[in-house]
Amino acid sequence: MTTPFDRPSGAAILATQARPIIATHTVRGDPAEGDLRMKALRTSVLMTAIFLAWRAIVGVPAAAQDVEAGGLLLTGAWIKAAEQDRDLSYAFVTVRNRGQEPDRLVAAFSPVAAAVEIRMPDPSVADGARTMTEGLTIPAAGVVALEPNGPHLFLRGIQQPLGVGDAIRIVLRFERAGPVTLQLRAHYH
């Protein structure tokens, strides 16, 4: 009776089967040796490139670009990917006011959404957030982060798919800095 320890391992079987193939193609001076090595190298480079491209597309969300307008710096803009067949989403961005005067985010719109609202969480409201009709103040030398569970932008009536990796344009209108256009890429956080 044989035990699992009596049988050769998968690596040992592969080594004994591969040895004759390698030996026939690795004789010094054999032109096939160079061809075999070049094919192996090309395959390795191609597989590495495919893997890196796959990681870039699937593994890491695209980085948002910083946008400057007046004394404002807008960073980290993104939009939440919409659930299948949903026409609403939430957008987020960090606004840094490097100026000496406060500014105010007074409105937002997108050419692909019926409405964009500036909202603040409020547990006393039925859907958990209230629309900030007065806008959102960005204090002088201060930072305001529009983020999940904080102030955010709410988009209704989105007219295009918004899956992971898709992008939409949104325009934020500030009292002092004026209109600022952002490109937001969709992903989950």
Side-chain angles (χ1 to χ4, degrees):
M1 175 172 172
T2 61
T3 67
F5 300 107
D6 297 331
R7 293 189 213 125
S9 69
I13 292 170
L14 181 61
T16 58
Q17 293 175 349
R19 193 172 296 126
I21 296 170
I22 295 171
T24 60
H25 291 290
T26 57
V27 177
R28 291 260 179 226
D30 185 0
E33 176 184 0
D35 291 343
L36 184 62
R37 286 185 181 169
M38 285 306 293
K39 286 180 183 176
L41 179 62
R42 274 185 251 153
T43 302
S44 175
V45 169
L46 179 63
M47 293 305 292
T48 301
I50 290 171
F51 174 74
L52 291 174
W54 175 79
R55 288 285 301 175
I57 293 169
V58 177
V60 180
Q65 294 193 1
D66 296 350
V67 175
E68 292 186 54
L72 302 180
L73 175 65
L74 289 83
T75 61
W78 64 282
I79 189 164
K80 187 173 191 276
E83 302 294 326
Q84 203 165 28
D85 297 330
R86 301 267 318 236
D87 66 346
L88 56 93
S89 186
Y90 305 89
F92 312 98
V93 63
T94 299
V95 183
R96 182 178 312 276
N97 186 348
R98 299 183 294 188
Q100 300 300 317
E101 300 289 328
D103 205 338
R104 180 182 301 273
L105 174 60
V106 293
F109 65 92
S110 174
V112 298
V116 180
E117 300 172 8
I118 305 165
R119 293 182 130 197
M120 179 67 76
D122 185 349
S124 67
V125 178
D127 65 356
R130 65 179 168 84
T131 301
M132 301 178 65
T133 55
E134 71 281 0
L136 181 64
T137 301
I138 316 298
V143 177
V144 173
L146 279 70
E147 59 189 0
N149 302 319
H152 58 274
L153 300 173
F154 178 66
L155 288 83
R156 282 187 291 117
I158 299 171
Q159 303 159 5
Q160 72 179 45
L162 195 54
V164 173
D166 292 335
I168 68 166
R169 192 167 39 100
I170 194 166
V171 179
L172 305 179
R173 193 163 52 88
F174 291 91
E175 197 170 69
R176 290 184 179 275
V180 179
T181 301
L182 298 173
Q183 191 77 8
L184 286 74
R185 187 150 315 269
H187 54 88
Y188 293 112
H189 255 265

mmCIF file of all heavy atoms in Angstrom, residues 20-38:
data_model
loop_
_atom_site.group_PDB
_atom_site.id
_atom_site.type_symbol
_atom_site.label_atom_id
_atom_site.label_comp_id
_atom_site.label_asym_id
_atom_site.label_seq_id
_atom_site.Cartn_x
_atom_site.Cartn_y
_atom_site.Cartn_z
ATOM 1 N N PRO A 20 13.707 16.778 -20.138
ATOM 2 C CA PRO A 20 14.105 16.400 -21.500
ATOM 3 C C PRO A 20 13.784 17.489 -22.532
ATOM 4 O O PRO A 20 14.537 17.685 -23.465
ATOM 5 C CB PRO A 20 13.281 15.141 -21.783
ATOM 6 C CG PRO A 20 12.854 14.635 -20.451
ATOM 7 C CD PRO A 20 12.807 15.813 -19.550
ATOM 8 N N ILE A 21 12.685 18.237 -22.352
ATOM 9 C CA ILE A 21 12.324 19.286 -23.303
ATOM 10 C C ILE A 21 13.345 20.410 -23.244
ATOM 11 O O ILE A 21 13.839 20.884 -24.251
ATOM 12 C CB ILE A 21 10.911 19.836 -22.997
ATOM 13 C CG1 ILE A 21 9.885 18.736 -23.196
ATOM 14 C CG2 ILE A 21 10.602 21.047 -23.859
ATOM 15 C CD1 ILE A 21 8.518 19.085 -22.701
ATOM 16 N N ILE A 22 13.689 20.845 -22.030
ATOM 17 C CA ILE A 22 14.657 21.917 -21.875
ATOM 18 C C ILE A 22 16.021 21.485 -22.378
ATOM 19 O O ILE A 22 16.708 22.223 -23.069
ATOM 20 C CB ILE A 22 14.727 22.373 -20.400
ATOM 21 C CG1 ILE A 22 13.389 22.992 -20.002
ATOM 22 C CG2 ILE A 22 15.866 23.342 -20.179
ATOM 23 C CD1 ILE A 22 13.258 23.274 -18.533
ATOM 24 N N ALA A 23 16.417 20.252 -22.076
ATOM 25 C CA ALA A 23 17.738 19.754 -22.474
ATOM 26 C C ALA A 23 17.893 19.746 -23.986
ATOM 27 O O ALA A 23 18.976 20.008 -24.501
ATOM 28 C CB ALA A 23 17.969 18.361 -21.906
ATOM 29 N N THR A 24 16.843 19.463 -24.744
ATOM 30 C CA THR A 24 16.975 19.406 -26.202
ATOM 31 C C THR A 24 17.106 20.782 -26.819
ATOM 32 O O THR A 24 17.567 20.911 -27.940
ATOM 33 C CB THR A 24 15.761 18.686 -26.832
ATOM 34 O OG1 THR A 24 14.593 19.416 -26.499
ATOM 35 C CG2 THR A 24 15.663 17.258 -26.371
ATOM 36 N N HIS A 25 16.733 21.838 -26.110
ATOM 37 C CA HIS A 25 16.770 23.183 -26.683
ATOM 38 C C HIS A 25 17.821 24.095 -26.070
ATOM 39 O O HIS A 25 17.905 25.247 -26.425
ATOM 40 C CB HIS A 25 15.400 23.856 -26.529
ATOM 41 C CG HIS A 25 14.356 23.224 -27.389
ATOM 42 N ND1 HIS A 25 14.349 23.340 -28.749
ATOM 43 C CD2 HIS A 25 13.298 22.444 -27.058
ATOM 44 C CE1 HIS A 25 13.320 22.664 -29.241
ATOM 45 N NE2 HIS A 25 12.667 22.114 -28.230
ATOM 46 N N THR A 26 18.620 23.598 -25.152
ATOM 47 C CA THR A 26 19.585 24.474 -24.504
ATOM 48 C C THR A 26 21.024 24.072 -24.774
ATOM 49 O O THR A 26 21.906 24.345 -23.988
ATOM 50 C CB THR A 26 19.331 24.521 -22.991
ATOM 51 O OG1 THR A 26 19.400 23.200 -22.473
ATOM 52 C CG2 THR A 26 18.002 25.171 -22.680
ATOM 53 N N VAL A 27 21.281 23.415 -25.852
ATOM 54 C CA VAL A 27 22.644 23.064 -26.212
ATOM 55 C C VAL A 27 23.352 24.344 -26.618
ATOM 56 O O VAL A 27 22.830 25.148 -27.386
ATOM 57 C CB VAL A 27 22.654 22.037 -27.376
ATOM 58 C CG1 VAL A 27 24.069 21.723 -27.806
ATOM 59 C CG2 VAL A 27 21.908 20.786 -26.966
ATOM 60 N N ARG A 28 24.586 24.546 -26.080
ATOM 61 C CA ARG A 28 25.352 25.756 -26.403
ATOM 62 C C ARG A 28 25.537 25.874 -27.905
ATOM 63 O O ARG A 28 25.867 24.910 -28.582
ATOM 64 C CB ARG A 28 26.713 25.731 -25.724
ATOM 65 C CG ARG A 28 26.633 25.866 -24.250
ATOM 66 C CD ARG A 28 26.948 27.307 -23.908
ATOM 67 N NE ARG A 28 26.841 27.462 -22.460
ATOM 68 C CZ ARG A 28 26.215 28.466 -21.905
ATOM 69 N NH1 ARG A 28 25.679 29.379 -22.633
ATOM 70 N NH2 ARG A 28 26.155 28.566 -20.620
ATOM 71 N N GLY A 29 25.293 27.073 -28.405
ATOM 72 C CA GLY A 29 25.493 27.321 -29.819
ATOM 73 C C GLY A 29 24.302 26.955 -30.679
ATOM 74 O O GLY A 29 24.290 27.224 -31.869
ATOM 75 N N ASP A 30 23.285 26.380 -30.095
ATOM 76 C CA ASP A 30 22.092 25.993 -30.854
ATOM 77 C C ASP A 30 21.261 27.249 -31.110
ATOM 78 O O ASP A 30 20.891 27.958 -30.181
ATOM 79 C CB ASP A 30 21.285 24.973 -30.041
ATOM 80 C CG ASP A 30 20.085 24.426 -30.790
ATOM 81 O OD1 ASP A 30 19.860 24.838 -31.944
ATOM 82 O OD2 ASP A 30 19.376 23.586 -30.207
ATOM 83 N N PRO A 31 20.951 27.583 -32.388
ATOM 84 C CA PRO A 31 20.140 28.784 -32.671
ATOM 85 C C PRO A 31 18.764 28.721 -32.033
ATOM 86 O O PRO A 31 18.152 29.754 -31.748
ATOM 87 C CB PRO A 31 20.025 28.810 -34.192
ATOM 88 C CG PRO A 31 20.971 27.796 -34.717
ATOM 89 C CD PRO A 31 21.368 26.906 -33.593
ATOM 90 N N ALA A 32 18.247 27.537 -31.786
ATOM 91 C CA ALA A 32 16.920 27.413 -31.172
ATOM 92 C C ALA A 32 16.929 27.939 -29.741
ATOM 93 O O ALA A 32 15.914 28.380 -29.232
ATOM 94 C CB ALA A 32 16.460 25.958 -31.192
ATOM 95 N N GLU A 33 18.114 27.909 -29.094
ATOM 96 C CA GLU A 33 18.224 28.393 -27.715
ATOM 97 C C GLU A 33 17.863 29.880 -27.645
ATOM 98 O O GLU A 33 17.080 30.308 -26.807
ATOM 99 C CB GLU A 33 19.633 28.182 -27.189
ATOM 100 C CG GLU A 33 19.839 28.753 -25.792
ATOM 101 C CD GLU A 33 21.276 28.622 -25.322
ATOM 102 O OE1 GLU A 33 22.124 28.095 -26.055
ATOM 103 O OE2 GLU A 33 21.535 29.072 -24.204
ATOM 104 N N GLY A 34 18.404 30.677 -28.539
ATOM 105 C CA GLY A 34 18.105 32.113 -28.559
ATOM 106 C C GLY A 34 16.645 32.380 -28.867
ATOM 107 O O GLY A 34 16.024 33.247 -28.269
ATOM 108 N N ASP A 35 16.082 31.639 -29.830
ATOM 109 C CA ASP A 35 14.671 31.807 -30.172
ATOM 110 C C ASP A 35 13.775 31.478 -28.987
ATOM 111 O O ASP A 35 12.807 32.181 -28.720
ATOM 112 C CB ASP A 35 14.295 30.924 -31.358
ATOM 113 C CG ASP A 35 14.937 31.390 -32.661
ATOM 114 O OD1 ASP A 35 15.401 32.549 -32.709
ATOM 115 O OD2 ASP A 35 14.971 30.584 -33.609
ATOM 116 N N LEU A 36 14.097 30.379 -28.311
ATOM 117 C CA LEU A 36 13.296 29.960 -27.166
ATOM 118 C C LEU A 36 13.345 31.008 -26.062
ATOM 119 O O LEU A 36 12.323 31.365 -25.470
ATOM 120 C CB LEU A 36 13.773 28.601 -26.646
ATOM 121 C CG LEU A 36 12.969 27.981 -25.512
ATOM 122 C CD1 LEU A 36 11.537 27.727 -25.975
ATOM 123 C CD2 LEU A 36 13.605 26.697 -25.052
ATOM 124 N N ARG A 37 14.529 31.546 -25.792
ATOM 125 C CA ARG A 37 14.660 32.557 -24.744
ATOM 126 C C ARG A 37 13.922 33.845 -25.129
ATOM 127 O O ARG A 37 13.307 34.479 -24.286
ATOM 128 C CB ARG A 37 16.127 32.855 -24.477
ATOM 129 C CG ARG A 37 16.805 31.748 -23.714
ATOM 130 C CD ARG A 37 18.203 32.108 -23.363
ATOM 131 N NE ARG A 37 18.823 31.014 -22.642
ATOM 132 C CZ ARG A 37 20.099 30.949 -22.383
ATOM 133 N NH1 ARG A 37 20.907 31.905 -22.782
ATOM 134 N NH2 ARG A 37 20.585 29.927 -21.723
ATOM 135 N N MET A 38 14.008 34.253 -26.387
ATOM 136 C CA MET A 38 13.300 35.465 -26.825
ATOM 137 C C MET A 38 11.788 35.298 -26.717
ATOM 138 O O MET A 38 11.087 36.214 -26.302
ATOM 139 C CB MET A 38 13.691 35.825 -28.270
ATOM 140 C CG MET A 38 15.075 36.433 -28.386
ATOM 141 S SD MET A 38 15.313 37.875 -27.316
ATOM 142 C CE MET A 38 14.200 39.029 -28.059
#
